[in-house]
Amino acid sequence: MTHDEALLQFLLRMGDNTLILGHRVSEWCGHAPVLEEDIALANTALDLIGQTQLWLGLAADVQGDGKTADDMAFLRDAWDFRNVLLVEMPNGDFGQTLMRQFLFDAWHSIMLGRLITSSDPRVAEIAEKASKEVAYHLERSGDTVVGLADGTEESHARMQAALDYLYPYVGEMFLSDATDAEMVAAGIAPDPAGLRDEYDALVGRIVDTATLTLPDGRFTHKGGRDGRMHTEHLGHLLTQMQWLQRAYPGASW
Amino acid sequence: MAQVSTEQVWDWLDDVPDPEIPVISLVDLGIIRDVRWEEDTLVVSVTPTYSGCPATSVINLDIETALRGHGIDKLELRRQLSPAWTTDWLSQKGRKKLEDYGIAPPQPAGGPAKCPNCGSKNLQKVSQFGSTPCKAHWRCQDCLEPFDYFKCI
Ligand SMILES: [Zn+2]
């Protein structure tokens, strides 16, 4: 793998995570339990899609064949996506959506914090911008997880079920492969495995405050960030997200 | 036409309203980072407030429309990401205008200092997000008015 090939994979991983989660969160638009939550979810999705434009725009530049961030988002098929499985999981109920958001935000904030000192200034400036937005996401998703879990018997049970369901997807964010080794060697990005202790401390603190119980096992589903095998959910998501470009190729306005 | 001074261009840009909060200008908002001539081309560097802010493309269009209206032919708009935009760059004039308009200006403490309607400090956060990416939603417990708070980032 050449350096640019590894850099492209790394950028796709960052951009596909924000794209797929941004799309998932946007599915709530007009459906959230109360207006304030609807607006909050839509704003979170907007930040994530904005970050996607930066990451995938840079990925397209590195690929160097004249494609744009839009091409990357709308003209690739499921096997080309490099997002972790966690972000493509269905929304479920409101609690499950916020639990997924929290589990991702915690990783995202730690990762972006490291990328601010990336040796590649293009990566560093995107991370600097995104980390401000993500700090806000994390504050909100963490507070909401605590509020719901330490709420009624019903809301507590739903948040515990969401954590039990989603936790086996957490480990994939900390796997390392040849792409990561190349990024570490070039000083562009940290080894994901090295972020786990900080993540466990952060998540553990919120989970305790929320009166939830972290599942015991460290088993993890994987296959998203290396594109080996996504869940069946990604293809369904893409049929919605990419519908317009598939029905009307090249449409723009 | 002779090259106008960059000070003149800054003045022109200070007349271009923010499309979402039209009481303040783009210069008040702190998103115009640089104005310079590169040979016969005027280069304006603009930084986004939030990476997904839908107003960004409208802002670029408004800058271009305004400067072309003042006779600038050769114009280039550059996106500048770093240093990332911060509400510290809001002008004092802009903060005052926000408050007069009913939007509480950002505070380092992370919440509004007082109700922009009655001045009360008895306030409650309704939601961390508001009508645009840059605002949160608060309510005054005394006059009971809901209001926008310009988030501090
Ligand atoms: Zn009041």
Side-chain angles (χ1 to χ4, degrees):
Chain A
M1 187 180 340
T2 67
H3 172 76
D4 273 2
E5 284 166 357
L7 178 58
L8 175 60
Q9 289 300 307
F10 166 74
L11 294 169
L12 291 175
R13 287 172 178 179
M14 294 304 295
D16 287 346
N17 279 340
T18 52
L19 173 62
I20 299 303
L21 185 59
H23 184 83
R24 271 285 183 242
V25 175
S26 79
E27 290 171 1
W28 273 102
C29 196
H31 300 280
V34 291
L35 183 62
E36 286 77 9
E37 295 306 329
D38 205 287
I39 290 170
L41 287 164
N43 272 288
T44 303
L46 194 60
D47 285 343
L48 291 169
I49 300 297
Q51 293 164 19
T52 302
Q53 286 179 328
L54 301 174
W55 289 122
L56 293 187
L58 181 53
D61 287 349
V62 169
Q63 192 164 277
D65 56 0
K67 290 203 167 66
T68 65
D70 280 346
D71 294 331
M72 306 299 263
F74 296 118
L75 302 179
R76 285 182 300 149
D77 214 329
W79 45 78
D80 298 320
F81 277 78
R82 294 293 179 267
N83 58 283
V84 291
L85 302 180
L86 175 68
V87 298
E88 67 195 46
M89 299 311 286
N91 285 337
D93 60 19
F94 181 71
Q96 186 176 316
T97 293
L98 265 296
M99 181 60 79
R100 183 188 60 201
Q101 190 70 38
F102 169 66
L103 293 172
F104 180 76
D105 288 344
W107 172 84
H108 204 197
S109 69
I110 295 168
M111 180 56 133
L112 291 170
R114 297 291 206 286
L115 293 178
I116 287 175
T117 55
S118 172
S119 64
D120 188 326
R122 300 169 301 177
V123 170
E125 68 177 14
I126 297 174
E128 183 193 347
K129 183 81 201 154
S131 66
K132 288 187 157 202
E133 296 162 0
V134 170
Y136 206 76
H137 297 172
L138 177 62
E139 182 186 325
R140 177 187 140 69
S141 63
D143 284 354
T144 313
V145 163
V146 170
L148 289 172
D150 193 14
T152 66
E153 198 176 322
E154 171 75 17
S155 71
H156 177 84
R158 285 187 184 224
M159 294 311 279
Q160 185 64 53
L163 182 59
D164 293 346
Y165 176 63
L166 293 170
Y167 200 67
Y169 294 91
V170 161
E172 192 190 6
M173 295 187 285
F174 303 97
L175 298 179
S176 302
D177 61 11
T179 293
D180 299 299
E182 173 60 31
M183 291 300 96
V184 171
I188 290 178
D191 179 1
L195 310 178
R196 184 77 203 232
D197 287 348
E198 193 176 339
Y199 181 87
D200 285 345
L202 199 168
V203 169
R205 186 166 48 77
I206 296 290
V207 162
D208 281 350
T209 312
T211 70
L212 294 170
T213 308
L214 214 54
D216 277 335
R218 277 290 177 93
F219 165 80
T220 190
H221 297 286
K222 55 181 185 290
R225 72 195 297 275
D226 57 12
R228 193 179 53 78
M229 196 189 299
H230 282 277
T231 68
E232 79 254 38
H233 305 299
L234 180 63
H236 291 283
L237 181 152
L238 295 183
T239 61
Q240 299 283 318
M241 190 181 83
Q242 299 180 333
W243 173 85
L244 194 116
Q245 282 302 322
R246 290 175 186 278
Y248 304 97
S252 68
W253 62 90
Chain B
M1 131 182 192
Q3 283 188 359
V4 298
S5 68
T6 51
E7 288 79 12
Q8 175 65 69
V9 176
W10 278 101
D11 280 349
W12 287 339
L13 292 172
D14 201 21
D15 287 333
V16 182
D18 173 71
E20 285 180 337
I21 311 172
V23 289
I24 59 171
S25 76
L26 299 182
V27 173
D28 286 329
L29 191 58
I31 59 170
I32 310 287
R33 301 316 301 159
D34 191 39
V35 175
R36 72 171 68 188
W37 286 100
E38 289 185 6
E39 296 181 358
D40 60 348
T41 301
L42 182 69
V43 179
V44 178
S45 299
V46 186
T47 197
T49 50
Y50 285 79
S51 54
C53 183
T56 305
S57 58
V58 179
I59 285 171
N60 284 349
L61 187 65
D62 289 349
I63 293 172
E64 187 165 347
T65 305
L67 295 182
R68 293 216 186 284
H70 287 292
I72 303 290
D73 294 326
K74 287 194 159 181
L75 174 66
E76 184 185 328
L77 297 183
R78 279 192 198 150
R79 183 186 75 191
Q80 183 179 323
L81 280 184
S82 180
W85 179 74
T86 158
T87 39
D88 293 348
W89 294 344
L90 271 175
S91 71
Q92 285 304 320
K93 164 167 78 81
R95 293 175 65 92
K96 175 81 172 63
K97 284 186 189 165
L98 278 179
E99 193 153 28
D100 292 345
Y101 187 59
I103 299 172
Q107 303 294 340
K114 57 185 184 346
C115 167
N117 184 47
C118 75
S120 164
K121 293 183 175 168
N122 184 13
L123 310 171
Q124 183 188 34
K125 181 165 73 183
V126 177
S127 172
Q128 271 152 307
F129 289 90
S131 56
T132 65
C134 60
K135 288 178 280 180
H137 190 191
W138 284 66
R139 172 167 50 213
C140 175
Q141 305 276 59
D142 284 331
C143 73
L144 303 180
E145 281 293 318
F147 64 90
D148 276 331
Y149 164 64
F150 206 101
K151 294 181 330 204
C152 186
I153 72 165

